[in-house]
Amino acid sequence: AGKLTLIGAGFSRTGTKSTEAALLELGHKIYDTRSILENNHADRWVDAAERLKRGDDGAVAALLAEMEAAGYTATLDFPMNLFGHSLAALRPDAKILFTTRNLDAWFASWYAVNDVLGIFVLRPWSWLVDFKFTEPICQAFGFDMIVARYPDHVRRPLPWFERLKTLPSLDPPGSKERWIAFYERTRDALERDYPDRFLAFDVKAGWAPLLD
């Protein structure tokens, strides 16, 4: 069994994949979005987020115990980063790593990856891998993320095939500002409440900060 020693609190498209490669080299076993799906934990993380909203971290603690029993030592990427604050409270020795990037460049990259990976909320792909669980998690953390749905945001030329018309959380006016505010609010809360363990990390700085 492992113990969570590093909490990845940064958003996707801030260098999380480069950070993943570094952490794997350093011997970490990483729990991320892929892990949520592989372990069939999506519904449980939704429940955990909704309970956190009510001040109850019991569901997060139960999931964390299972993760550690399976040998996971680090978390990374969205939406696991949203649980960074509660994980930090549960593991007071764990370091908090917030990967950073120029905010304009980050949003442009975040938009692009959602435009590509948006197919996973569409038929037929959503029958295989469904990413809609990110919506209620974000909402529990006070951010109104909307997943594309038929018929408002999606065309359905065939009963089994859908195509995206619009990204409802990224296309409307003000979307960039909302996402950046969410990013900054997430970072600020961690830096304020856990200053001794918080590290803002730019992957361009190299691995050295990860070795401290």
Side-chain angles (χ1 to χ4, degrees), residues 127-153:
W127 291 330
L128 302 173
V129 180
D130 194 346
F131 283 96
K132 290 188 178 72
F133 69 93
T134 57
E135 180 183 273
I137 288 177
C138 280
Q139 289 176 347
F141 284 100
F143 183 76
D144 192 19
M145 180 180 180
I146 303 169
V147 172
R149 287 183 173 80
Y150 176 83
D152 292 341
H153 322 114

Side-chain angles (χ1 to χ4, degrees), residues 19-38:
T19 302
E20 177 184 20
L23 293 177
L24 289 172
E25 283 289 329
L26 293 170
H28 282 282
K29 183 176 180 180
I30 298 167
Y31 188 98
D32 56 10
T33 309
R34 181 174 58 249
S35 311
I36 293 175
L37 297 169
E38 288 175 349

Side-chain angles (χ1 to χ4, degrees), residues 14 38 52 107 119 140-141 143 155 181 211:
T14 57
E38 288 175 349
L52 277 177
F107 182 79
I119 63 169
F141 284 100
F143 183 76
R155 299 184 185 92
L211 300 174

Side-chain angles (χ1 to χ4, degrees), residues 114-130:
N114 276 274
D115 197 29
V116 172
L117 297 182
I119 63 169
F120 288 111
V121 299
L122 307 177
R123 296 180 180 182
W125 298 277
S126 63
W127 291 330
L128 302 173
V129 180
D130 194 346

Side-chain angles (χ1 to χ4, degrees), residues 33-202:
T33 309
R34 181 174 58 249
S35 311
I36 293 175
L37 297 169
E38 288 175 349
N39 289 285
N40 295 314
H41 283 169
D43 289 342
R44 292 180 64 191
W45 282 113
V46 170
D47 177 63
E50 291 172 347
R51 290 190 183 200
L52 277 177
K53 188 177 179 181
R54 303 192 297 268
D56 175 6
D57 68 356
V60 174
L63 280 159
L64 176 55
E66 288 185 30
M67 290 159 55
E68 291 178 331
Y72 291 102
T73 58
T75 59
L76 202 63
D77 227 326
F78 174 86
M80 281 308 300
N81 70 310
L82 302 181
F83 294 92
H85 201 281
S86 58
L87 291 172
L90 289 164
R91 292 295 178 268
D93 294 328
K95 294 181 180 179
I96 303 163
L97 188 71
F98 194 97
T99 45
T100 64
R101 186 178 184 182
N102 171 275
L103 290 174
D104 291 327
W106 168 68
F107 182 79
S109 184
W110 182 231
Y111 184 99
V113 78
N114 276 274
D115 197 29
V116 172
L117 297 182
I119 63 169
F120 288 111
V121 299
L122 307 177
R123 296 180 180 182
W125 298 277
S126 63
W127 291 330
L128 302 173
V129 180
D130 194 346
F131 283 96
K132 290 188 178 72
F133 69 93
T134 57
E135 180 183 273
I137 288 177
C138 280
Q139 289 176 347
F141 284 100
F143 183 76
D144 192 19
M145 180 180 180
I146 303 169
V147 172
R149 287 183 173 80
Y150 176 83
D152 292 341
H153 322 114
V154 171
R155 299 184 185 92
R156 189 178 289 168
L158 297 168
W160 52 269
F161 184 75
E162 295 176 336
R163 300 191 67 167
L164 199 63
K165 290 193 294 186
T166 184
L167 293 166
S169 285
L170 293 159
D171 282 329
S175 294
K176 177 179 177 180
E177 291 75 15
R178 286 196 321 115
W179 276 102
I180 288 176
F182 188 34
Y183 173 112
E184 292 183 321
R185 173 163 60 86
T186 303
R187 172 180 173 155
D188 290 349
L190 289 164
E191 192 168 16
R192 179 193 67 232
D193 295 339
Y194 305 107
D196 296 336
R197 295 190 278 149
F198 179 88
L199 173 65
F201 176 60
D202 186 332

